[in-house]
Amino acid sequence: MIDNVIHAALIMTTPVLLAALGGLINRVGGIVNIGLDSMMLAGALVAVIVAANHGNWALAVLAAGLAGACVAFLMTLTITRLDANEIIVGLGFNILIAGLVRFFLKSAYGTSGTLSLPDTTRIPRIDIPFVADIPVLGAIFSGHDVLTWLAWALVPVTAWFLARTRPGLRLRAAGAAPKAARALGLDPLSIRDASSVFAGFMAGLAGAYLSIGVVGIFNEGITAGRGFIAMAAFYFGANRPGLTAIGALLFGFFDAFQIRLQGRGLPAELVQTLPYIMVVVILTAIAIATRKSRGARP
Amino acid sequence: MRWAPSSATSRLFARLWLRRHRSGASGARQCLGILLAAILFGALATSGATIQLFSDVPIEIVNILQGLVMIFAVVRFSNLWKGRRA
């Protein structure tokens, strides 16, 4: 029972964590990426199509990342070069990609909403021989796929990148003080574009994880607002990768918990709202705590 | 139908409207802009099904149009030939 919840929690965390790390990099670079959800959706669709046609999951994951990066590139160009409002453009991309995906499914495959192709290759799970038999450790370390490992490995790597490397510091400069960065001879707009493309790539990977990692089919509602949950995660983390991961993990835990709670007498629709309600509750609690600690100081 | 984004878009349209018509009472102008935008999006949302009934145009076009309108309403194309700014 507890093993199942832990395992499911880690599975639910992975897509949110991947997208949140991308969004964090993007936010440090100066753009709040509302369009993460649309990039996840594009990645999920491309992953299923490539996995079914070529039978190579690595290629499918890569293609999904590239699809997300393409969407992000278009979005970032409108923001940095055409001076558009990032919030409105992000919302616009969410609606546009959702419409395009539905249009594409109907015109190319003749289905409405769900795409299930015959031999879709799934991302293989890595079972570690001896650890798998240990009760709790087995659930934590064994039976996850490459993307989960990648996501957790990227948490310290992102922290190190932002704190210790030259490109990381330049990225922070471009986000915090674009004029100072410009005076140093950097091009803040291009740095922002690069960070957005990275965010799109990560969101595409998250989408691939959802479609060919977890279920093996595509549905137009497959992201279920996880792009927005990822935003909540990196706001929760205040640009720190470790805290962002904890935020993603909290959402993953409640998501796994609500699956367990279903079918125990409570109405399923109400139980499904639990992770989203918890996000609101936690963000509110943090805001109150911050205000109190700020009020305590003179 | 998706109604939620329409209100955001209509506010946006109002701003766009304002940008065009700077002079005059801004409050009244904004109300007019919101009304026009709301009518546009309401017409888009309701006419989609009818158009699909009588032609081969699928109803998904409505979402695509809404997204495109939102994006193109906020971009400033004059930047393209003004050169790069800091």
Side-chain angles (χ1 to χ4, degrees):
Chain A
M1 160 81 191
I2 186 99
D3 277 16
N4 285 336
V5 171
I6 292 175
H7 196 253
L10 285 173
I11 285 179
M12 294 303 177
T13 303
T14 303
V16 176
L17 182 57
L18 281 169
L21 286 175
L24 184 148
I25 291 283
N26 209 344
R27 189 180 172 217
V28 169
I31 295 177
V32 176
N33 197 328
I34 308 272
L36 282 176
D37 214 60
S38 67
M39 297 157 202
M40 278 170 95
L41 200 63
L45 177 64
V46 168
V48 165
I49 292 171
V50 174
N53 288 340
H54 295 276
N56 186 346
W57 62 268
L59 191 69
V61 167
L62 198 66
L66 289 181
C70 285
V71 176
F73 188 57
L74 286 180
M75 197 186 90
T76 194
L77 283 186
T78 61
I79 295 174
T80 57
R81 315 291 174 185
L82 298 183
D83 218 15
N85 181 330
E86 56 194 10
I87 309 284
I88 309 285
V89 166
L91 282 176
F93 266 88
N94 280 335
I95 297 172
L96 172 67
I97 299 293
L100 279 178
V101 161
R102 229 182 290 164
F103 180 71
F104 177 74
L105 283 183
K106 199 186 242 181
S107 53
Y109 292 95
T111 63
S112 62
T114 305
L115 177 65
S116 126
L117 295 173
D119 26 50
T120 309
T121 328
R122 305 271 300 272
I123 304 175
R125 300 247 159 117
I126 305 170
D127 287 313
I128 305 171
F130 297 105
V131 183
D133 301 329
I134 308 171
V136 177
L137 282 181
I140 294 177
F141 289 111
S142 183
H144 293 294
D145 53 34
V146 185
L147 284 180
T148 304
W149 286 104
L150 176 76
W152 285 101
L154 275 176
V155 174
V157 169
T158 309
W160 171 77
F161 172 78
L162 287 177
R164 294 267 183 272
T165 64
R166 186 175 294 217
L169 291 173
R170 284 184 174 167
L171 178 69
R172 283 164 64 184
K179 280 183 180 156
R182 196 160 177 77
L184 276 175
L186 305 173
D187 184 0
L189 294 187
S190 303
I191 294 174
R192 269 180 203 178
D193 287 344
S195 76
S196 291
V197 168
F198 176 76
F201 186 81
M202 296 293 282
L205 293 190
Y209 182 83
L210 282 174
S211 66
I212 61 172
V214 181
V215 283
I217 59 170
F218 174 81
N219 182 288
E220 63 179 355
I222 195 169
T223 60
R226 285 196 176 79
F228 294 101
I229 299 294
M231 278 183 61
F234 65 71
Y235 264 102
F236 170 84
N239 289 358
R240 270 171 298 183
L243 272 179
T244 302
I246 290 173
L249 193 61
L250 272 176
F251 174 76
F253 171 73
F254 283 112
D255 212 2
F257 192 59
Q258 63 81 11
I259 297 174
R260 280 271 135 188
L261 275 184
Q262 281 181 28
R264 302 205 172 210
L266 292 165
E269 290 84 0
L270 266 185
V271 174
Q272 279 174 353
T273 61
L274 179 69
Y276 304 98
I277 289 176
M278 287 318 290
V279 167
V280 175
V281 168
I282 290 171
L283 284 177
T284 312
I286 289 173
I288 292 173
T290 329
R291 180 172 291 182
K292 271 192 182 158
S293 69
R294 216 178 269 161
R297 273 180 234 136
Chain B
M1 266 314 129
R2 246 179 232 265
W3 284 106
S6 313
S7 62
T9 331
S10 50
R11 238 173 292 137
L12 215 147
F13 255 87
R15 220 197 280 161
L16 203 73
W17 183 268
L18 266 183
R19 203 186 283 167
R20 292 251 172 82
H21 309 260
R22 277 285 178 201
S23 59
S26 62
R29 297 270 185 201
Q30 191 165 17
C31 289
L32 198 57
I34 289 176
L35 182 66
L36 285 177
I39 290 174
L40 169 69
F41 277 92
L44 261 181
T46 51
S47 60
T50 318
I51 289 174
Q52 190 180 28
L53 206 61
F54 292 111
S55 65
D56 281 340
V57 181
I59 198 164
E60 284 78 16
I61 289 291
V62 170
N63 271 49
I64 297 175
L65 279 180
Q66 283 188 345
L68 283 178
V69 164
M70 284 180 78
I71 294 164
F72 280 106
V74 285
V75 299
R76 209 176 281 165
F77 280 109
S78 57
N79 283 2
L80 282 182
W81 50 83
K82 216 182 345 184
R84 200 177 293 176
R85 299 151 310 110

